[in-house]
Amino acid sequence: MSWLDDAADDDDLEFDESSVRVRPNPKANRPRTKRRPAHADAQIARVLGVDRGRYTVLVDEDGPDERRVLATRARELRKQAIVNGDRARVVGDLSGDDGTLARIIGIEERTSLLRRSADDTDQVERVIVANADQMLIVVAAADPEPRERLVDRYLVAALDAGIRPLLVVTKTDLADPSEFLSHFDGVDLRVFTSGQDAMPLERIGEALVGHSTVFVGHSGVGKSTLVNALTGSVRATGHVNEVTGRGRHTSSSTVSLRYRGPAGSGWVIDTPGVRSFGLGHVNPANVLAAFTDLAEVAEECPRGCTHLPDAPDCAIIEAVASGRLGPGAAARLDSLQRLLTTFQSIERSRLEG
């Protein structure tokens, strides 16, 4: 038996939509869309510094309205590394006034990327700076003692990134750097020497004009002192521990500073001092390019030559043994072979893993 009255007809039934209960969408009533705004009004800005999720960027670089703006990154860029030297697309409040915050919504294509890893076996790379076209390697003639192997690693990292290397030897009033510099005879490397009473700021400055130059070096070699003298900044300077011979990290973050001189302007990118520079991310084929004179002779080597001590008919080994490349070539070959051996071990571990 139906609960409806037998006389009831469908036409007699009335429905009121107001009595219908609709459960609200917990993620908002308006469905999300994958379409994003085009941001046609975005401006290009240079990233000058990164501090705890906030980015200092320079808007209208070299223009009449050049200004620094504080920005954050858009949510869709949360997995994108944003580093000093990046050319960022920014939107929002670009006035640069206190309390305002712009937003980075994209990164322009990079022309270069300088990276390092924790050690030679670590393939996880750490991005240091983007779009630099020069690297200024700073070492001390003494206190702390210069390390040829560390400079070799800087050279490899620079050439792997397509960056031109330069070298400054500081504290030449404490020791003669001639023996150290002989290690790099034949390498395409411009060298400056600097002492307490003879800092060649004008010549170094001329090399910076029109370039973005990343400064790298061991802690305590005088890198921050040189940066301050060139840019007029007030980066902290430190000293070398008399017991350990190690320098204290005075630059704790990477920052871009402008150099202005009689010949023009450029960018100085100061980085924290490091005691090691892992090359686990570098393509081994690019290692030889760091040793210019050895690379030229390598063209005479048999195909597939490893250039290691046991390599048969290696033209580099024969040229060094005959004295053809000068007295410092043996040390450079030793450094090259050490690096190549390291990469050979890395590759073997990858294959076995």
Side-chain angles (χ1 to χ4, degrees):
M1 214 179 144
S2 172
W3 62 274
L4 291 173
D5 185 80
D6 292 339
D9 192 283
D10 287 347
D11 294 334
D12 297 330
L13 298 178
E14 295 182 2
F15 297 95
D16 185 359
E17 292 183 357
S18 64
S19 64
V20 178
R21 297 183 62 185
V22 179
R23 180 172 296 178
N25 183 352
K27 296 184 178 180
N29 294 326
R30 186 176 181 180
R32 284 185 56 84
T33 173
K34 293 184 178 180
R35 296 180 63 184
R36 295 290 181 266
H39 294 303
D41 59 338
Q43 295 191 37
I44 304 300
R46 177 189 291 269
V47 177
L48 301 180
V50 182
D51 183 18
R52 291 171 293 184
R54 294 293 184 264
Y55 304 86
T56 301
V57 301
L58 188 67
V59 177
D60 194 31
E61 182 178 342
D62 295 325
D65 198 23
E66 179 180 287
R67 62 202 179 278
R68 294 183 178 224
V69 174
L70 191 64
T72 185
R73 73 167 71 202
R75 182 164 54 182
E76 54 265 30
L77 296 182
R78 60 185 179 275
K79 295 183 179 180
Q80 165 78 53
I82 303 176
V83 298
N84 267 265
D86 266 328
R87 307 285 292 176
R89 297 193 300 278
V90 294
V91 297
D93 192 332
L94 303 181
S95 65
D97 296 338
D98 290 342
T100 62
L101 195 63
R103 190 167 84 258
I104 298 175
I105 52 92
I107 298 297
E108 296 288 276
E109 184 177 356
R110 293 156 167 167
T111 57
S112 68
L113 197 61
L114 180 64
R115 304 159 294 171
R116 76 179 179 96
S117 56
D119 54 54
D120 290 333
T121 60
D122 187 359
Q123 296 183 51
V124 178
E125 62 190 42
R126 177 183 177 183
V127 179
I128 300 174
V129 65
N131 300 321
D133 59 342
Q134 290 189 149
M135 174 194 284
L136 186 71
I137 305 166
V138 185
V139 299
D143 190 32
E145 294 296 317
R147 295 165 53 189
E148 294 93 342
R149 301 290 183 264
L150 181 58
V151 175
D152 286 341
R153 290 172 172 271
Y154 286 138
L155 290 172
V156 170
L159 294 177
D160 179 70
I163 298 174
R164 178 194 180 199
L166 309 169
L167 177 66
V168 174
V169 183
T170 64
K171 305 183 184 181
T172 53
D173 51 299
L174 300 181
D176 183 358
S178 300
E179 182 178 351
F180 166 75
L181 291 176
S182 66
H183 178 80
F184 306 102
D185 288 344
V187 178
D188 184 13
L189 180 66
R190 186 177 180 185
V191 178
F192 305 91
T193 56
S194 173
Q196 185 174 8
D197 301 323
M199 189 177 290
L201 296 179
E202 185 174 345
R203 290 198 301 116
I204 296 175
E206 290 175 353
L208 303 179
V209 173
H211 298 282
S212 291
T213 307
V214 54
F215 282 44
V216 298
H218 190 288
S219 304
V221 297
K223 179 171 58 66
S224 294
T225 299
L226 180 60
V227 168
N228 290 347
L230 287 167
T231 66
S233 63
V234 288
R235 299 282 277 175
T237 58
H239 64 282
V240 175
N241 188 300
E242 295 181 359
V243 177
T244 65
R246 293 182 173 181
R248 183 169 64 89
H249 293 282
T250 54
S251 299
S252 58
S253 61
T254 300
V255 63
S256 295
L257 304 165
R258 187 176 249 134
Y259 165 79
R260 298 186 188 275
S265 65
W267 285 99
V268 169
I269 306 173
D270 188 21
T271 64
V274 297
R275 300 188 181 107
S276 63
F277 205 93
L279 299 175
H281 63 283
V282 172
N283 183 349
N286 296 333
V287 175
L288 182 59
F291 303 85
T292 314
D293 57 337
L294 304 185
E296 291 178 357
V297 177
E299 296 179 1
E300 305 170 14
C301 287
R303 177 177 296 182
C305 182
T306 63
H307 314 302
L308 295 175
D310 58 351
D313 302 320
C314 176
I316 299 178
I317 296 176
E318 294 175 356
V320 171
S322 66
R324 170 181 163 189
L325 299 180
R332 293 194 300 281
L333 175 59
D334 177 65
S335 184
L336 170 65
Q337 290 175 336
R338 284 173 181 266
L339 290 172
L340 292 176
T341 300
T342 297
F343 284 115
Q344 189 179 65
S345 300
I346 293 172
E347 189 63 24
R348 187 182 301 113
S349 298
R350 289 174 182 171
L351 295 175
E352 293 175 353

